Amino acid sequence: MAATGTPEPGDLIEVFRPAYQHWALYLGDGYVINVTPVDEGPPARFASAKSVFSGKARVRMQLLKDVVGNDTYCVNNKHDNTYRPLPVEEIIRRAESFIDQEVSYDLLGSNCEHFVTLLRYGQAVSDQANKAITAIGFVTVAAGAFSLLGFLRSRSRERQY
């Protein structure tokens, strides 16, 4: 478990997984709160990926070292310049009220990053989701353009014969 920065209660923790980033919120004394698949026992490496397919997640309080495993993490309160963090006591109180609760999980609208930013700022924000939505929009527009070009090309061939 390699780390960048010493977490303080209320800090956002970004865990670098092989294919994505997992997010947790530091509670103190080595513990974090994060969302995991409903049926998960011990922390899983692809926890968020499993939740995508079930549409549900469970909020768990776990040791940071167990959540991170062999991956790396950093303290990343990246939205502090955009949103004012809530008072630490309120962040922790709100976080603790979710422990062991089942929550809905949606990669684009309600993921682990949305969850922890909602706790810290009162706003659910996910740069990962925004990037994915932008990529989906670009692919959709490109596919539409190629379809239109194909249609126009076939119409022009029809006119030639």
Coordinates of all heavy atoms in Angstrom, one line a residue, residues 34-112:
N34 N -16.7 3.5 2.4 CA -16.8 3.4 0.9 C -17.9 2.5 0.5 O -18.5 1.8 1.4 CB -15.4 2.9 0.3 CG -15.1 1.5 0.7 OD1 -14.7 0.7 -0.2 ND2 -15.2 1.0 1.9
V35 N -18.3 2.4 -0.8 CA -19.3 1.6 -1.2 C -18.7 0.3 -1.8 O -17.6 0.4 -2.5 CB -20.3 2.2 -2.2 CG1 -21.1 3.3 -1.6 CG2 -19.5 2.8 -3.4
T36 N -19.3 -0.8 -1.6 CA -18.8 -2.1 -2.0 C -20.0 -2.9 -2.6 O -21.1 -2.6 -2.3 CB -18.1 -2.9 -0.9 OG1 -19.1 -3.3 0.1 CG2 -17.0 -2.1 -0.3
P37 N -19.7 -4.0 -3.4 CA -20.9 -4.8 -3.8 C -21.7 -5.3 -2.6 O -21.1 -5.6 -1.6 CB -20.2 -5.9 -4.6 CG -18.9 -5.3 -5.0 CD -18.5 -4.4 -3.9
V38 N -22.9 -5.5 -2.8 CA -23.8 -6.0 -1.7 C -23.4 -7.3 -1.2 O -23.4 -7.5 0.0 CB -25.3 -6.0 -2.2 CG1 -26.2 -6.7 -1.2 CG2 -25.8 -4.6 -2.5
D39 N -23.0 -8.2 -2.1 CA -22.7 -9.6 -1.6 C -21.2 -9.8 -1.3 O -20.8 -10.9 -1.0 CB -23.0 -10.6 -2.8 CG -22.2 -10.3 -4.0 OD1 -21.6 -9.3 -4.1 OD2 -22.3 -11.2 -4.9
E40 N -20.4 -8.7 -1.2 CA -19.0 -8.8 -0.9 C -18.7 -9.1 0.5 O -19.3 -8.4 1.4 CB -18.3 -7.5 -1.4 CG -16.8 -7.6 -1.1 CD -16.2 -6.2 -1.3 OE1 -16.7 -5.4 -2.0 OE2 -15.1 -6.0 -0.7
G41 N -17.8 -10.0 0.8 CA -17.3 -10.2 2.2 C -16.1 -9.3 2.3 O -16.2 -8.1 2.5
P42 N -14.9 -9.9 2.1 CA -13.7 -9.1 2.2 C -13.6 -8.2 1.0 O -14.2 -8.4 0.0 CB -12.6 -10.2 2.1 CG -13.2 -11.5 2.1 CD -14.7 -11.3 1.9
P43 N -12.8 -7.1 1.1 CA -12.7 -6.1 0.0 C -12.2 -6.8 -1.3 O -11.4 -7.7 -1.2 CB -11.6 -5.1 0.5 CG -11.5 -5.4 2.0 CD -12.0 -6.8 2.3
A44 N -12.9 -6.4 -2.3 CA -12.5 -7.0 -3.6 C -11.8 -6.0 -4.5 O -12.0 -4.8 -4.4 CB -13.8 -7.5 -4.3
R45 N -10.9 -6.5 -5.3 CA -10.2 -5.6 -6.2 C -11.0 -4.9 -7.2 O -10.8 -3.8 -7.6 CB -9.2 -6.5 -6.9 CG -8.0 -5.8 -7.4 CD -7.0 -6.7 -7.9 NE -6.1 -5.8 -8.6 CZ -4.9 -5.5 -8.2 NH1 -4.4 -6.1 -7.1 NH2 -4.1 -4.7 -8.8
F46 N -12.1 -5.6 -7.7 CA -12.9 -5.0 -8.7 C -14.3 -4.6 -8.1 O -15.3 -4.9 -8.7 CB -13.1 -5.9 -9.9 CG -11.7 -6.0 -10.6 CD1 -11.0 -7.2 -10.4 CD2 -11.2 -5.0 -11.4 CE1 -9.8 -7.3 -11.0 CE2 -10.0 -5.2 -12.1 CZ -9.3 -6.4 -11.8
A47 N -14.3 -4.1 -6.9 CA -15.6 -3.9 -6.2 C -16.5 -3.0 -7.0 O -17.7 -3.4 -7.1 CB -15.3 -3.2 -4.8
S48 N -16.1 -1.9 -7.5 CA -17.0 -1.0 -8.2 C -17.5 -1.7 -9.5 O -18.6 -1.5 -9.9 CB -16.3 0.3 -8.6 OG -16.0 1.0 -7.4
A49 N -16.7 -2.5 -10.1 CA -17.1 -3.2 -11.3 C -18.2 -4.2 -11.0 O -19.2 -4.3 -11.8 CB -15.9 -3.9 -11.9
K50 N -18.2 -4.9 -9.9 CA -19.2 -5.8 -9.5 C -20.5 -5.0 -9.3 O -21.6 -5.5 -9.6 CB -18.9 -6.5 -8.2 CG -17.8 -7.6 -8.4 CD -17.6 -8.3 -7.1 CE -16.5 -9.3 -7.1 NZ -16.3 -9.9 -5.8
S51 N -20.5 -3.9 -8.6 CA -21.6 -3.1 -8.3 C -22.3 -2.6 -9.6 O -23.6 -2.4 -9.6 CB -21.3 -1.9 -7.4 OG -20.8 -2.4 -6.2
V52 N -21.6 -2.4 -10.6 CA -22.2 -1.9 -11.9 C -23.3 -2.8 -12.3 O -24.3 -2.4 -12.8 CB -21.1 -1.7 -13.0 CG1 -21.7 -1.5 -14.3 CG2 -20.2 -0.6 -12.6
F53 N -23.0 -4.1 -12.3 CA -23.9 -5.1 -12.8 C -25.1 -5.4 -11.8 O -26.1 -5.8 -12.3 CB -23.2 -6.4 -13.1 CG -22.1 -6.2 -14.1 CD1 -20.8 -6.3 -13.8 CD2 -22.5 -5.9 -15.4 CE1 -19.8 -6.0 -14.8 CE2 -21.5 -5.7 -16.4 CZ -20.2 -5.7 -16.1
S54 N -24.9 -5.2 -10.5 CA -26.0 -5.5 -9.6 C -26.9 -4.2 -9.4 O -28.0 -4.4 -9.0 CB -25.4 -5.9 -8.2 OG -24.8 -4.8 -7.6
G55 N -26.4 -3.0 -9.6 CA -27.2 -1.8 -9.4 C -27.3 -1.5 -8.0 O -28.0 -0.5 -7.6
K56 N -26.6 -2.2 -7.1 CA -26.7 -1.9 -5.7 C -25.3 -2.0 -5.1 O -24.4 -2.7 -5.6 CB -27.6 -3.0 -5.0 CG -29.0 -3.0 -5.4 CD -29.8 -4.0 -4.7 CE -31.2 -4.1 -5.2 NZ -32.0 -5.2 -4.7
A57 N -25.2 -1.3 -4.0 CA -23.9 -1.4 -3.2 C -24.2 -1.3 -1.7 O -25.3 -0.9 -1.3 CB -23.0 -0.2 -3.7
R58 N -23.2 -1.7 -0.9 CA -23.4 -1.6 0.5 C -22.3 -0.6 1.0 O -21.2 -0.6 0.5 CB -23.2 -2.9 1.2 CG -23.3 -2.8 2.7 CD -23.8 -4.0 3.4 NE -24.8 -4.8 2.8 CZ -26.1 -4.6 3.0 NH1 -26.6 -3.6 3.7 NH2 -27.0 -5.5 2.5
V59 N -22.7 0.3 1.9 CA -21.7 1.2 2.5 C -21.0 0.5 3.7 O -21.7 -0.1 4.5 CB -22.4 2.5 3.0 CG1 -21.5 3.4 3.6 CG2 -23.2 3.2 1.8
R60 N -19.7 0.5 3.6 CA -18.9 -0.2 4.6 C -17.9 0.7 5.2 O -17.3 1.5 4.6 CB -18.3 -1.4 4.0 CG -19.2 -2.5 3.5 CD -18.6 -3.8 3.4 NE -19.3 -4.8 2.6 CZ -20.4 -5.5 3.1 NH1 -20.8 -5.3 4.3 NH2 -21.0 -6.3 2.3
M61 N -17.6 0.5 6.5 CA -16.5 1.1 7.2 C -15.4 0.0 7.3 O -15.7 -1.1 7.8 CB -16.9 1.5 8.6 CG -15.8 2.2 9.4 SD -16.4 2.8 10.9 CE -15.5 1.8 12.1
Q62 N -14.3 0.3 6.7 CA -13.2 -0.7 6.6 C -11.9 0.0 6.8 O -11.8 1.2 6.7 CB -13.2 -1.3 5.2 CG -14.4 -2.1 4.8 CD -14.4 -2.5 3.4 OE1 -14.5 -1.7 2.4 NE2 -14.3 -3.8 3.2
L63 N -10.9 -0.8 7.2 CA -9.5 -0.3 7.3 C -9.0 0.2 5.9 O -9.2 -0.5 4.9 CB -8.6 -1.3 7.9 CG -8.8 -1.6 9.4 CD1 -7.9 -2.8 9.8 CD2 -8.4 -0.4 10.2
L64 N -8.4 1.3 5.9 CA -7.9 1.9 4.7 C -6.9 0.9 4.0 O -7.0 0.6 2.8 CB -7.2 3.2 4.9 CG -6.4 3.8 3.7 CD1 -7.3 4.1 2.6 CD2 -5.7 5.1 4.2
K65 N -6.1 0.2 4.8 CA -5.1 -0.7 4.3 C -5.8 -1.9 3.6 O -5.3 -2.4 2.6 CB -4.1 -1.2 5.3 CG -4.7 -2.0 6.4 CD -3.7 -2.4 7.5 CE -4.4 -3.3 8.5 NZ -3.7 -4.5 8.8
D66 N -7.0 -2.3 4.1 CA -7.7 -3.4 3.5 C -8.3 -3.0 2.2 O -8.4 -3.8 1.2 CB -8.7 -4.0 4.4 CG -8.1 -4.7 5.6 OD1 -7.0 -5.1 5.6 OD2 -8.9 -4.8 6.7
V67 N -8.8 -1.8 2.1 CA -9.5 -1.3 0.9 C -8.4 -1.1 -0.2 O -8.7 -1.4 -1.3 CB -10.2 0.0 1.2 CG1 -10.7 0.7 -0.1 CG2 -11.4 -0.2 2.1
V68 N -7.3 -0.6 0.2 CA -6.2 -0.3 -0.8 C -5.5 -1.6 -1.3 O -5.2 -1.7 -2.4 CB -5.2 0.7 -0.2 CG1 -4.0 0.9 -1.2 CG2 -5.9 2.1 0.0
G69 N -5.3 -2.5 -0.3 CA -4.6 -3.7 -0.7 C -3.2 -3.4 -1.2 O -2.5 -2.7 -0.6
N70 N -2.9 -4.0 -2.4 CA -1.6 -3.8 -3.0 C -1.6 -2.6 -4.0 O -0.6 -2.3 -4.6 CB -1.2 -5.0 -3.8 CG -0.9 -6.2 -2.8 OD1 -0.4 -6.0 -1.7 ND2 -1.2 -7.4 -3.3
D71 N -2.7 -1.9 -4.1 CA -2.7 -0.7 -5.0 C -2.2 0.5 -4.3 O -1.7 0.4 -3.1 CB -4.2 -0.5 -5.4 CG -4.8 -1.6 -6.2 OD1 -4.0 -2.1 -7.1 OD2 -6.0 -1.9 -6.0
T72 N -2.2 1.6 -4.9 CA -1.7 2.9 -4.3 C -2.9 3.8 -4.1 O -3.9 3.6 -4.7 CB -0.6 3.6 -5.2 OG1 -1.2 3.9 -6.5 CG2 0.6 2.7 -5.4
Y73 N -2.7 4.8 -3.3 CA -3.8 5.8 -3.0 C -3.1 7.1 -2.8 O -2.0 7.3 -2.5 CB -4.7 5.3 -1.9 CG -4.1 5.6 -0.5 CD1 -4.3 6.8 0.2 CD2 -3.3 4.6 0.1 CE1 -3.8 7.0 1.4 CE2 -2.8 4.8 1.4 CZ -3.0 6.0 2.0 OH -2.5 6.2 3.3
C74 N -4.0 8.1 -2.8 CA -3.6 9.5 -2.4 C -4.8 10.2 -1.8 O -5.9 9.9 -2.1 CB -3.0 10.3 -3.6 SG -4.2 10.8 -4.8
V75 N -4.5 11.2 -1.0 CA -5.5 12.1 -0.5 C -5.8 13.0 -1.7 O -4.9 13.6 -2.3 CB -5.0 12.9 0.7 CG1 -6.0 14.0 1.1 CG2 -4.7 12.0 1.9
N76 N -7.1 13.2 -2.0 CA -7.4 14.0 -3.2 C -8.7 14.7 -3.0 O -9.8 14.3 -3.4 CB -7.5 13.1 -4.5 CG -7.7 14.0 -5.7 OD1 -7.8 15.2 -5.7 ND2 -7.5 13.3 -6.9
N77 N -8.6 15.9 -2.3 CA -9.7 16.8 -2.1 C -9.8 17.8 -3.2 O -9.8 19.0 -3.1 CB -9.6 17.5 -0.7 CG -9.5 16.5 0.4 OD1 -10.3 15.5 0.4 ND2 -8.6 16.7 1.3
K78 N -9.9 17.2 -4.5 CA -9.8 18.0 -5.7 C -10.8 19.1 -5.9 O -10.6 20.0 -6.7 CB -9.7 17.1 -6.9 CG -10.9 16.2 -7.1 CD -10.7 15.3 -8.2 CE -11.9 14.4 -8.4 NZ -11.7 13.5 -9.5
H79 N -11.9 19.0 -5.2 CA -13.0 19.9 -5.5 C -13.1 21.0 -4.4 O -14.0 21.8 -4.4 CB -14.4 19.2 -5.6 CG -14.5 18.3 -6.7 ND1 -14.5 18.7 -8.1 CD2 -14.5 17.0 -6.8 CE1 -14.5 17.7 -8.9 NE2 -14.5 16.6 -8.1
D80 N -12.1 21.1 -3.5 CA -12.1 22.1 -2.5 C -12.1 23.5 -3.0 O -12.7 24.4 -2.3 CB -10.9 21.9 -1.5 CG -11.1 20.8 -0.5 OD1 -12.1 20.0 -0.6 OD2 -10.3 20.6 0.4
N81 N -11.6 23.8 -4.2 CA -11.7 25.1 -4.7 C -13.0 25.5 -5.4 O -13.3 26.6 -5.6 CB -10.5 25.3 -5.8 CG -9.2 25.3 -5.1 OD1 -9.0 25.7 -3.9 ND2 -8.2 24.8 -5.8
T82 N -13.8 24.4 -5.7 CA -15.1 24.6 -6.3 C -16.2 24.6 -5.3 O -17.2 25.4 -5.3 CB -15.3 23.6 -7.4 OG1 -14.2 23.6 -8.3 CG2 -16.6 23.8 -8.1
Y83 N -16.1 23.6 -4.3 CA -17.2 23.5 -3.3 C -16.6 23.6 -1.9 O -15.4 23.1 -1.7 CB -17.8 22.1 -3.4 CG -18.4 21.8 -4.8 CD1 -17.8 20.9 -5.7 CD2 -19.6 22.3 -5.2 CE1 -18.3 20.7 -6.9 CE2 -20.2 22.0 -6.4 CZ -19.5 21.2 -7.3 OH -20.0 20.9 -8.5
R84 N -17.3 24.2 -1.1 CA -16.8 24.4 0.3 C -17.0 23.1 1.1 O -18.2 22.6 1.1 CB -17.4 25.5 1.0 CG -17.1 25.6 2.5 CD -17.7 26.8 3.2 NE -16.8 27.9 3.0 CZ -17.2 29.1 2.8 NH1 -18.4 29.4 2.7 NH2 -16.3 30.0 2.6
P85 N -16.0 22.5 1.6 CA -16.2 21.2 2.4 C -17.1 21.5 3.6 O -17.0 22.6 4.2 CB -14.8 20.8 2.9 CG -13.9 21.5 1.9 CD -14.6 22.8 1.5
L86 N -17.9 20.6 3.9 CA -18.8 20.7 5.1 C -17.8 20.6 6.4 O -16.7 20.1 6.3 CB -19.8 19.6 5.2 CG -20.8 19.6 4.0 CD1 -21.6 18.3 4.0 CD2 -21.7 20.8 4.1
P87 N -18.3 21.0 7.5 CA -17.5 20.9 8.7 C -17.2 19.4 9.0 O -18.0 18.5 8.7 CB -18.4 21.4 9.9 CG -19.4 22.3 9.2 CD -19.6 21.8 7.8
V88 N -16.0 19.1 9.4 CA -15.5 17.7 9.6 C -16.5 16.9 10.4 O -16.8 15.7 10.1 CB -14.1 17.6 10.1 CG1 -13.7 16.2 10.5 CG2 -13.1 18.2 9.2
E89 N -17.0 17.5 11.5 CA -17.9 16.7 12.4 C -19.2 16.3 11.6 O -19.7 15.2 11.8 CB -18.3 17.6 13.6 CG -17.2 18.0 14.5 CD -16.4 19.2 13.9 OE1 -17.0 20.1 13.1 OE2 -15.2 19.4 14.2
E90 N -19.7 17.2 10.7 CA -20.9 16.9 9.9 C -20.6 15.8 8.9 O -21.4 14.9 8.6 CB -21.4 18.1 9.3 CG -22.7 17.9 8.5 CD -23.3 19.1 7.9 OE1 -22.9 20.3 8.3 OE2 -24.2 19.0 7.1
I91 N -19.4 15.9 8.2 CA -19.0 14.9 7.3 C -19.0 13.5 7.9 O -19.5 12.6 7.4 CB -17.6 15.2 6.7 CG1 -17.6 16.5 5.9 CG2 -17.1 14.0 5.8 CD1 -16.2 17.0 5.4
I92 N -18.3 13.4 9.1 CA -18.2 12.1 9.8 C -19.6 11.6 10.2 O -19.9 10.5 10.1 CB -17.2 12.2 11.0 CG1 -15.8 12.7 10.5 CG2 -17.2 10.9 11.7 CD1 -15.2 11.8 9.4
R93 N -20.4 12.5 10.8 CA -21.8 12.2 11.2 C -22.6 11.6 10.1 O -23.2 10.6 10.2 CB -22.5 13.4 11.9 CG -23.9 13.0 12.4 CD -24.6 14.3 12.9 NE -24.6 15.4 12.0 CZ -25.4 15.5 10.9 NH1 -26.2 14.4 10.6 NH2 -25.4 16.5 10.1
R94 N -22.5 12.3 8.9 CA -23.3 11.9 7.7 C -22.8 10.5 7.3 O -23.5 9.7 6.9 CB -23.2 12.9 6.6 CG -23.9 14.2 6.9 CD -23.5 15.3 6.0 NE -23.5 15.0 4.6 CZ -24.2 15.6 3.7 NH1 -24.9 16.7 4.0 NH2 -24.2 15.2 2.4
A95 N -21.4 10.4 7.2 CA -20.8 9.1 6.8 C -21.2 8.0 7.7 O -21.7 6.9 7.2 CB -19.3 9.3 6.7
E96 N -21.2 8.2 9.0 CA -21.5 7.1 9.9 C -23.0 6.7 9.8 O -23.3 5.5 10.0 CB -21.1 7.5 11.3 CG -19.6 7.5 11.5 CD -19.2 8.0 12.9 OE1 -20.0 8.7 13.6 OE2 -18.0 7.8 13.3
S97 N -23.8 7.6 9.4 CA -25.3 7.3 9.3 C -25.5 6.3 8.1 O -26.6 5.7 8.1 CB -26.1 8.5 9.1 OG -26.0 9.1 7.8
F98 N -24.6 6.2 7.2 CA -24.7 5.3 6.0 C -24.1 3.9 6.2 O -24.4 3.0 5.4 CB -24.1 5.9 4.8 CG -24.9 6.9 4.1 CD1 -24.6 8.3 4.3 CD2 -25.9 6.6 3.2 CE1 -25.4 9.2 3.7 CE2 -26.7 7.5 2.6 CZ -26.4 8.9 2.8
I99 N -23.3 3.7 7.3 CA -22.6 2.4 7.5 C -23.6 1.3 7.5 O -24.7 1.3 8.1 CB -21.8 2.4 8.8 CG1 -20.7 3.4 8.6 CG2 -21.3 1.0 9.1 CD1 -19.9 3.7 9.9
D100 N -23.3 0.2 6.7 CA -24.1 -1.0 6.5 C -25.4 -0.8 5.8 O -26.3 -1.7 5.7 CB -24.4 -1.7 7.8 CG -23.1 -2.3 8.4 OD1 -22.2 -2.7 7.6 OD2 -22.9 -2.3 9.6
Q101 N -25.6 0.4 5.2 CA -26.9 0.7 4.4 C -26.6 0.2 3.0 O -25.5 0.3 2.5 CB -27.2 2.2 4.4 CG -27.5 2.8 5.7 CD -28.7 2.3 6.3 OE1 -29.8 2.2 5.6 NE2 -28.7 2.0 7.6
E102 N -27.7 -0.3 2.4 CA -27.7 -0.6 0.9 C -28.1 0.6 0.2 O -29.0 1.3 0.5 CB -28.6 -1.8 0.7 CG -28.5 -2.3 -0.7 CD -29.4 -3.5 -0.9 OE1 -29.0 -4.6 -0.3 OE2 -30.4 -3.4 -1.7
V103 N -27.3 1.0 -0.9 CA -27.6 2.1 -1.7 C -27.6 1.7 -3.1 O -27.0 0.7 -3.5 CB -26.5 3.3 -1.5 CG1 -26.6 3.8 0.0 CG2 -25.1 2.8 -1.8
S104 N -28.3 2.5 -4.0 CA -28.3 2.2 -5.4 C -26.9 2.6 -6.0 O -26.2 3.5 -5.4 CB -29.4 3.0 -6.1 OG -29.1 4.4 -6.0
Y105 N -26.5 1.9 -7.0 CA -25.2 2.1 -7.6 C -25.4 2.2 -9.1 O -26.0 1.3 -9.7 CB -24.2 1.0 -7.3 CG -22.8 1.3 -7.8 CD1 -21.9 1.9 -6.9 CD2 -22.4 1.0 -9.1 CE1 -20.6 2.2 -7.3 CE2 -21.1 1.3 -9.5 CZ -20.2 1.9 -8.6 OH -19.0 2.2 -9.1
D106 N -24.9 3.3 -9.7 CA -24.9 3.5 -11.1 C -23.6 4.1 -11.5 O -23.3 5.2 -11.0 CB -26.1 4.4 -11.4 CG -26.3 4.8 -12.8 OD1 -25.3 4.8 -13.6 OD2 -27.4 5.2 -13.2
L107 N -22.9 3.6 -12.4 CA -21.6 4.0 -12.8 C -21.6 5.5 -13.2 O -20.7 6.2 -12.9 CB -21.1 3.2 -14.0 CG -19.6 3.4 -14.4 CD1 -18.7 3.1 -13.3 CD2 -19.3 2.6 -15.6
L108 N -22.6 5.9 -13.9 CA -22.7 7.3 -14.4 C -23.4 8.3 -13.5 O -23.1 9.5 -13.6 CB -23.3 7.4 -15.8 CG -22.6 6.6 -16.9 CD1 -23.4 6.6 -18.2 CD2 -21.2 7.0 -17.0
G109 N -24.2 7.8 -12.6 CA -25.0 8.8 -11.8 C -24.9 8.6 -10.3 O -25.3 9.5 -9.6
S110 N -24.4 7.5 -9.8 CA -24.3 7.2 -8.4 C -23.2 6.2 -8.1 O -23.5 5.1 -7.7 CB -25.7 6.7 -7.9 OG -25.7 6.5 -6.5
N111 N -22.0 6.6 -8.3 CA -20.9 5.7 -8.1 C -20.1 6.0 -6.8 O -20.6 6.9 -6.0 CB -19.9 5.7 -9.3 CG -19.3 7.0 -9.5 OD1 -18.9 7.7 -8.6 ND2 -19.0 7.3 -10.8
C112 N -19.0 5.4 -6.5 CA -18.3 5.6 -5.3 C -17.7 7.0 -5.2 O -17.7 7.6 -4.1 CB -17.1 4.6 -5.2 SG -15.9 4.6 -6.5

